[in-house]
Each structure stands twice: as structure tokens, then as C-alpha cells.
Amino acid sequence: MKEADMVTLQLFNSQPITIELPKSVPLKVTYAETVVKGDTTSSVLKDAELETGIKLKVPAFIKTGDIIKVDTRSGSYLERSKD
């Protein structure tokens, strides 16, 4: 998550007891490994780093500068963002 992203916080006696994150967040890819030409099958994953510093595996077609959706529960790639 990034600064200013919205979360839901439940309080009891002014103390937080639960926090609810959005199911996914859009994040910019700041680095993505290059793919070997011809190695473009959909099951090929490569390393990428996001604007928050998180590193994860993404499909071969993702490149630096793309915006992707990341699952906040698992920290995994969901899809390329349409935003």
C-alpha cells in the first residue's frame, strides 16, 4: 500500500481492534526483468519490483512502467491495471 491509501479501521474504547485493507491496490512497476526472446508462454514468471519496494513474480508481458493490481492478502500479482 502507498501513503494516503484508504483503509477501514474499527475502534473500541479509542483503541483499534480491526483493520480492513482493500482487496487489491494498483502499483507501478519500477523494475521488471527482461524476457528472453521466444520465452513468452503465459506461464513464464519473472521478478519485478514495485514503487513500494515490494518484489514479486509477474507474467512475462509485464514491463517497467506498467501499473498492476496486487492482492493485499497474499501480496501476489492479480492483473495488469486498466487505469
Side-chain angles (χ1 to χ4, degrees):
M1 295 195 61
K2 299 181 295 184
E3 187 175 324
D5 280 351
M6 300 294 287
V7 297
T8 302
L9 185 66
Q10 186 176 9
L11 302 174
F12 179 74
N13 291 334
S14 301
Q15 296 295 316
I17 57 172
T18 62
I19 184 168
E20 186 176 320
L21 302 174
K23 291 184 176 153
S24 66
V25 291
L27 295 169
K28 185 175 185 175
V29 177
T30 56
Y31 169 78
E33 289 184 337
T34 55
V35 176
V36 177
K37 191 163 180 92
D39 195 8
T40 57
T41 60
S42 61
S43 62
V44 173
L45 297 177
K46 63 182 183 178
D47 293 324
E49 186 171 339
L50 306 180
E51 62 186 298
T52 58
I54 303 259
K55 295 178 182 176
L56 71 157
K57 298 284 188 182
V58 296
F61 60 84
I62 299 296
K63 57 190 179 304
T64 300
D66 283 351
I67 306 292
I68 63 171
K69 287 188 179 179
V70 177
D71 186 323
T72 57
R73 296 164 293 187
S74 66
S76 62
Y77 167 86
L78 288 175
E79 65 183 358
R80 189 172 4 193
S81 182
K82 296 162 186 69
D83 298 336

